Amino acid sequence: MIGTTLRHSKLLIARRPVVSESKLLSPLSNAFFQVASSAAPSNNSPNGNVAALQQRNFSLKPTNPTPEPTKPLYNNLSTTVIDQIKADLKSVDFDNNGKIDADELRALLKRHDSTFTDDEIVELSELFYASRAGGAIPMDEFVAALDSAANRDGEKGLIGKKMKTHPLGIGTCASEYMFSKTHGKYTKEELDVKLTHVQPQDWKDKFALGATKIFRFGFDTATGWKRGEITQDKILNRAIFLETIAAIPGMVAAIIRHFRSLRNMARDGGMLNMFLEEANNERMHLLTFIRMKDPGYLFRGAVIGGQFGFGTGFLVAYMISPAFCHRFVGYIEEEACDTYTKIIAAIENAPEGSELAEWRTQEAPKIAKGYWHLGEDGTVLDVMRAVRADEAEHRDVNHAVSGVAHDT
């Protein structure tokens, strides 16, 4: 029954898709995203069901520690249908906690394999996990959201222009990265990053290494990184600024390779997509850290200047020698791995009650939980480990690409 209800939600797409004009997700996934990632109407909505949902405090705003339970009001689905959906949900409640999580949703959708394809099941469960930041949703709230999504009477409802927050209390973070699925859950071994260094082989490599050392020395001096203790503020200032720059090389490489592929009327061997993913991965680092600190106007002005200067220089350099640029990025990523290793050690060894010690237990931003599959209890320390693993991957990839002479 739940399969039929969700499949019927395809009608929602004609009104207001969350991922506008997107054809990368299947129609069903786009429809389900309306249920899993859209926002709820304002308090002025004439829809009675919306008022009932608002009474249940389903928004992202803080609620009372012990809210009074309110029986959900279903206006669109019949009692028989609702009972059948609840029975379906209870059949996959493996931990008997009265909630539905991504794994249980995946198990439920697999029982409806005549309705959902394998790809759709993966997409829907991943969207659900990412949007909910690894958490679970009470079954009554899940059914209430389906009931509201089933509203097809012409009212604005959950998909009208007045949407503010979602009745399930989840966000739209997944739309930032769901089209690129190469990054996800790291194993314990993959998070145990080893610091490596590629010895320069020719003058280009030596020049790239020298440029990296100069870049690092100048930035460390200007920011006072090595003066005094490592603090949360120092870490976030450094990470936010550098991630705005770090996302440039991958995008430049992808653009140049894209035009070269068009110009030569030849394939690129998949590297174009790989570097686009690298750029987006660095951008996800930024989107995570700005959830922890909002930079001021002076900082943002420095970012604009840095992007213009570095972006222009790297674009020219890449058109001249891609091999040099990839070696340079490889060395930059070596430095990034070293920096994040020091940050992780500082957090792990910080005395109890200190500022950095808080990050051992402080909850990670929701966008980070969904992107790296950190789980509902993921911490800021877990984020740092995942970011370091990303940088290690970029390090190895760029060093490897730099050595492929016939392609670079």
Side-chain angles (χ1 to χ4, degrees):
M1 178 57 65
I2 191 172
T4 304
T5 302
L6 291 179
R7 175 63 73 181
H8 188 65
S9 65
K10 287 190 294 185
L11 294 174
L12 302 178
I13 298 176
R15 296 188 180 185
R16 186 174 181 263
V18 174
V19 186
S20 61
E21 306 297 331
S22 173
K23 297 183 180 179
L24 294 178
L25 290 180
S26 65
L28 172 61
S29 298
N30 223 345
F32 187 73
F33 200 73
Q34 299 285 351
V35 180
S37 301
S38 61
S42 66
N43 293 332
N44 297 326
S45 171
N47 192 321
N49 186 49
V50 173
L53 291 175
Q54 290 171 338
Q55 291 173 6
R56 291 181 57 80
N57 292 322
F58 292 157
S59 70
L60 290 172
K61 297 179 180 179
T63 59
N64 295 327
T66 55
E68 290 295 328
T70 304
K71 184 177 180 180
L73 178 64
Y74 305 116
N75 289 341
N76 303 298
L77 299 176
S78 68
T79 302
T80 301
V81 171
I82 289 173
D83 289 342
Q84 290 176 331
I85 291 176
K86 287 183 176 180
D88 276 348
L89 293 173
K90 290 179 180 179
S91 70
V92 295
D93 186 15
F94 303 124
D95 47 11
N96 296 314
N97 64 351
K99 298 180 179 181
I100 184 83
D101 59 28
D103 290 334
E104 292 167 343
L105 177 63
R106 184 182 295 111
L108 177 58
L109 296 180
K110 285 182 178 179
R111 297 184 180 183
H112 298 272
D113 54 5
S114 61
T115 304
F116 299 98
T117 67
D118 290 341
D119 287 341
E120 287 174 337
I121 291 173
V122 170
E123 287 176 347
L124 296 179
S125 59
E126 286 293 316
L127 285 169
F128 186 93
Y129 180 96
S131 298
R132 193 67 181 100
I137 296 176
M139 292 183 186
D140 283 344
E141 296 180 15
F142 189 91
V143 176
L146 290 179
D147 176 74
S148 185
N151 175 24
R152 306 185 306 278
D153 60 3
E155 300 282 354
K156 282 182 170 36
L158 282 177
I159 54 175
K161 293 183 179 180
K162 295 183 179 181
M163 288 190 263
K164 298 296 182 184
T165 56
H166 186 266
L168 299 182
I170 57 183
T172 58
C173 297
S175 61
E176 291 291 337
Y177 56 86
M178 273 301 297
F179 305 136
S180 300
K181 301 179 181 179
T182 58
H183 280 81
K185 186 176 181 179
Y186 282 113
T187 64
K188 184 177 181 180
E189 292 73 22
E190 290 170 333
L191 290 174
D192 185 20
V193 173
K194 307 299 181 185
L195 298 181
T196 62
H197 175 62
V198 174
Q199 293 296 333
Q201 302 298 318
D202 54 25
W203 71 270
K204 287 183 180 180
D205 292 353
K206 293 178 181 178
F207 187 60
L209 179 59
T212 300
K213 295 299 183 182
I214 293 174
F215 181 83
R216 166 111 200 203
F217 176 79
F219 189 75
D220 285 353
T221 302
T223 59
W225 174 250
K226 294 185 177 181
R227 293 196 300 269
E229 298 179 350
I230 297 178
T231 64
Q232 288 187 6
D233 201 52
K234 269 188 178 182
I235 293 172
L236 291 176
N237 283 338
R238 184 181 184 87
I240 291 173
F241 186 84
L242 288 180
E243 296 298 352
T244 64
I245 304 299
I248 293 175
M251 182 60 68
V252 168
I255 291 173
I256 297 298
R257 288 176 177 276
H258 176 69
F259 278 100
R260 187 180 68 176
S261 177
L262 297 177
R263 184 170 61 251
N264 296 339
M265 302 180 188
R267 294 179 298 143
D268 183 64
M271 289 193 178
L272 189 160
N273 292 322
M274 179 177 68
F275 288 119
L276 278 176
E277 162 59 17
E278 178 181 309
N280 188 58
N281 176 246
E282 298 285 9
R283 188 178 65 94
M284 290 303 298
H285 297 174
L286 172 66
L287 294 180
T288 294
F289 291 131
I290 62 173
R291 297 303 192 281
M292 301 169 65
K293 179 176 182 177
D294 185 18
Y297 291 114
L298 183 61
F299 190 103
R300 292 173 183 269
V303 167
I304 295 174
Q307 285 189 336
F308 179 79
F310 181 80
T312 302
F314 193 85
L315 176 63
V316 173
Y318 201 93
M319 289 189 291
I320 297 172
S321 177
F324 163 79
C325 288
H326 286 299
R327 186 67 75 196
F328 171 74
V329 174
Y331 286 136
I332 288 291
E333 298 294 3
E334 288 182 5
E335 297 294 334
C337 289
D338 178 72
T339 297
Y340 279 110
T341 296
K342 291 178 179 177
I343 291 172
I344 291 169
I347 297 172
E348 292 176 335
N349 300 323
E352 288 295 335
S354 64
E355 182 184 66
L356 283 181
E358 296 175 0
W359 279 357
R360 292 200 290 263
T361 55
Q362 181 178 322
E363 184 178 349
K366 290 185 177 181
I367 194 171
K369 290 182 183 179
Y371 184 63
W372 285 291
H373 285 244
L374 301 180
E376 192 170 6
D377 300 321
T379 65
V380 174
L381 178 57
D382 295 328
V383 171
M384 296 301 178
R385 290 169 177 157
V387 170
R388 181 180 63 171
D390 286 343
E391 306 295 9
E393 179 181 322
H394 302 162
R395 172 197 66 193
D396 298 338
V397 166
N398 279 277
H399 277 317
V401 172
S402 181
V404 184
H406 70 277
D407 187 77
T408 58

